[in-house]
Amino acid sequence: MSLTITTERLILRQLTLDDAEAAFEWTGDERVARYMIYSTHESIETTKEWLRSIKPSENVFGFVRKSDGKLIGSGGIRLLEDGFWEFGYNFRFDCWGMGYATEASKAMIDHVRSKFGDVPLRAECAAENTASAHVIEKCGLVFKDFGEYTSYDGLKTFKAKIYESR
């Protein structure tokens, strides 16, 4: 994927192995990983493994702040088997509450909709994660149901709020 999306304050671009140090600033932060499907990365090697696992064809982006060129987060949008497009994101702790998650999410949604039309959307977050719930609502999704998700390593399970656009 060589796709680049530009917003008012961000550049969404492909992640590379060269991003490991910057990405470890949030993947290694337990505050950021608290509600994520991954557990806190204990070393930069874990972050490098994750970066190597991303396929170029996936809609996974690094979020670069235009003002200083700093990689401050990542996220993606993917087509699920049931026809919904699911999006997600995470950012450095010092970038929380600044509207970056909403800006990046809307850009990913706009990109998919420009290619495929008015597709149905889905997103979920830990029920306790009210900040993420607000981002999802700002993207036009409405609460549909409760669910549950477990981290990749099986160490964390969360009650989830599931949102949809239809």
Side-chain angles (χ1 to χ4, degrees):
M1 171 187 80
S2 59
L3 172 67
T4 299
I5 300 170
T6 303
T7 69
E8 182 181 337
R9 300 179 297 160
L10 299 171
I11 298 168
L12 285 65
R13 60 142 174 94
Q14 182 176 0
L15 287 164
T16 70
L17 198 54
D18 291 338
D19 293 320
E21 191 173 314
F24 185 65
E25 291 182 32
W26 73 82
T27 61
D29 186 335
E30 63 186 34
R31 297 168 298 183
V32 175
R34 180 176 179 187
Y35 298 119
M36 298 305 297
I37 199 160
Y38 67 87
S39 290
T40 307
H41 290 187
E42 298 297 325
S43 73
I44 198 166
E45 290 307 313
T46 305
T47 302
K48 287 179 181 180
E49 287 175 30
W50 165 62
L51 290 169
R52 281 191 284 270
S53 76
I54 299 170
K55 297 179 182 92
S57 61
E58 295 175 332
N59 288 315
V60 176
F61 301 95
F63 305 140
V64 177
R65 190 168 42 205
K66 281 182 175 179
S67 64
D68 60 6
K70 178 81 174 166
L71 180 70
I72 60 170
S74 66
I77 188 164
R78 64 186 178 136
L79 179 61
L80 301 173
E81 290 180 13
D82 64 2
F84 278 85
W85 285 82
E86 179 180 60
F87 65 94
Y89 46 82
N90 67 132
F91 284 86
R92 294 166 42 110
F93 183 76
D94 63 348
C95 293
W96 287 9
M98 297 180 180
Y100 291 126
T102 303
E103 187 173 333
S105 296
K106 286 182 175 182
M108 292 186 295
I109 291 166
D110 288 348
H111 165 68
V112 167
R113 287 190 163 160
S114 73
K115 287 178 74 172
F116 303 108
D118 190 22
V119 298
L121 302 169
R122 180 178 296 136
E124 68 179 53
C125 62
E128 296 176 20
N129 190 347
T130 56
S132 228
H134 290 291
V135 168
I136 294 166
E137 291 166 355
K138 287 178 188 175
C139 290
L141 284 72
V142 295
F143 174 76
K144 288 295 179 186
D145 203 357
F146 286 101
E148 186 176 273
Y149 67 94
T150 300
S151 61
Y152 294 130
D153 59 14
L155 298 177
K156 305 183 291 188
T157 299
F158 297 98
K159 182 177 184 178
K161 292 179 83 173
I162 301 167
Y163 293 81
E164 293 181 355
S165 64
R166 63 172 161 157

